[in-house]
Amino acid sequence: MAVMDEFREEREKVKHGTFQEKWKYFWDYYKWHVIGGTFAAVMVIWLVYDIVTQEDSVLFVELLNCYSAYDDSEYVASVTEYLGVEDGETITIETGLDVTEDTEEYTSFEVLATRIAANELDVMVAEEETIAGYAQEDTLIDLTTVMSEEQLERYSDYFYYVDYALIESGYYEETSYEKQILDGTAGHASPEDMEQPVAVGVFIATTDEAGDYVCTSSDFNSNYYYGTEVIFTIMCYTEHTETALQFLDYICGYGS
């Protein structure tokens, strides 16, 4: 008997069969279509729901190489209140990425690169050596172009500079950080010896002792980089510059 004849005979039996027989026939022939279609429908519904219910990020802060083991939920809540974050909005203070040279957590580098490529980050904080690499890639904003006069007066003595002339010349790409130290082109807290100084960060201390750096608040100290000098920077593509600067004021103890 030809295959088509067998198919027609089978269909004729099912046509006059019981409900159970019809269901068995349907399931035997179409179960993978049903499973696949259901899965696709669930995915579409999930994506639509995620888009509709997704909160609007008003600030994403990346605290790199942060070894704090404390629960910072109370501090994040205090920042949220200070910034006036409303329902449907969210801030993120992430502390889990380690991008030091001797780390074996290569995933951290990949995650950070992805977030930068996706324009997700607003603020990046880390030690000078880490910040230097990103500053030299021209990914950080010139703080003198966005700060108020009051903030410039408050922070200008603590600016971290990068020489834009050296960026354009390719010097940073061709010179290791160790060689930059020897050349005197790393760790700049003053612009006098630069051709095109750009203030891309603010040195902040994580102790309560007044000194060479802006003194941060005790709450920030107890939650994050206690005992380490780090640099606060703002990503050049951010749409939340004002909020980022408010956050700087808060962590440096100027929040009212």
Side-chain angles (χ1 to χ4, degrees):
M1 181 182 296
V3 174
M4 288 301 298
D5 291 338
E6 292 181 358
F7 178 74
R8 292 192 185 95
E9 183 176 331
E10 186 69 23
R11 289 289 301 274
E12 191 65 24
K13 290 180 181 178
V14 171
K15 183 178 179 180
H16 301 286
T18 64
F19 174 81
Q20 288 80 4
E21 290 173 334
K22 291 180 179 180
W23 174 253
K24 182 178 183 305
Y25 174 84
F26 172 82
W27 189 246
D28 287 345
Y29 281 90
Y30 297 104
K31 63 181 176 182
W32 294 115
H33 296 80
V34 173
I35 293 172
T38 302
F39 177 77
V42 169
M43 290 299 295
V44 169
I45 293 171
W46 180 82
L47 287 172
V48 171
Y49 176 82
D50 185 61
I51 292 171
V52 171
T53 61
Q54 188 176 40
E55 292 185 314
D56 180 28
S57 175
V58 296
L59 189 68
F60 195 117
V61 178
E62 194 71 71
L63 303 182
L64 295 172
N65 314 330
C66 178
Y67 302 104
S68 174
Y70 297 99
D71 177 5
D72 65 349
S73 57
E74 290 187 9
Y75 184 74
V76 174
S78 68
V79 174
T80 300
E81 181 179 2
Y82 172 74
L83 295 179
V85 178
E86 300 177 351
D87 291 341
E89 298 177 335
T90 183
I91 67 168
T92 301
I93 300 179
E94 184 170 75
T95 62
L97 300 186
D98 180 3
V99 294
T100 51
E101 285 192 1
D102 57 348
T103 183
E104 297 181 356
E105 296 293 332
Y106 297 108
T107 302
S108 292
F109 290 95
E110 296 173 358
V111 170
L112 183 60
T114 300
R115 287 181 177 158
I116 291 175
N119 295 348
E120 184 177 6
L121 303 185
D122 299 304
V123 170
M124 181 187 295
V125 180
E127 300 94 330
E128 193 275 333
E129 183 174 357
T130 298
I131 292 298
Y134 294 99
Q136 294 158 12
E137 293 176 5
D138 196 20
T139 60
L140 306 177
I141 202 168
D142 180 354
L143 296 176
T144 64
T145 65
V146 295
M147 282 186 170
S148 66
E149 291 185 8
E150 181 181 9
Q151 289 171 326
L152 287 172
E153 183 178 354
R154 180 179 294 163
Y155 298 115
S156 60
D157 289 341
Y158 312 102
F159 279 154
Y160 169 72
Y161 293 89
V162 64
D163 194 337
Y164 200 81
L166 294 183
I167 292 178
E168 292 183 323
S169 71
Y171 167 82
Y172 290 123
E173 294 181 2
E174 301 167 357
T175 310
S176 67
Y177 182 74
E178 289 75 14
K179 181 65 164 56
Q180 292 175 34
I181 294 176
L182 294 175
D183 290 348
T185 57
H188 281 292
S190 63
E192 285 79 6
D193 56 347
M194 293 184 175
E195 183 178 344
Q196 285 183 263
V198 178
V200 296
V202 175
F203 282 99
I204 59 177
T206 54
T207 68
D208 292 323
E209 299 296 327
D212 295 333
Y213 302 99
V214 178
C215 187
T216 59
S217 66
S218 59
D219 286 340
F220 185 83
N221 299 339
S222 63
N223 280 283
Y224 304 115
Y225 299 98
Y226 193 83
T228 304
E229 289 74 40
V230 290
I231 299 174
F232 176 100
T233 66
I234 300 176
M235 308 306 292
C236 63
Y237 52 72
T238 182
E239 297 180 354
H240 306 125
T241 305
E242 183 177 350
T243 307
L245 290 173
Q246 287 180 304
F247 179 65
L248 174 63
D249 283 343
Y250 187 76
I251 66 176
C252 288
Y254 294 104
S256 56

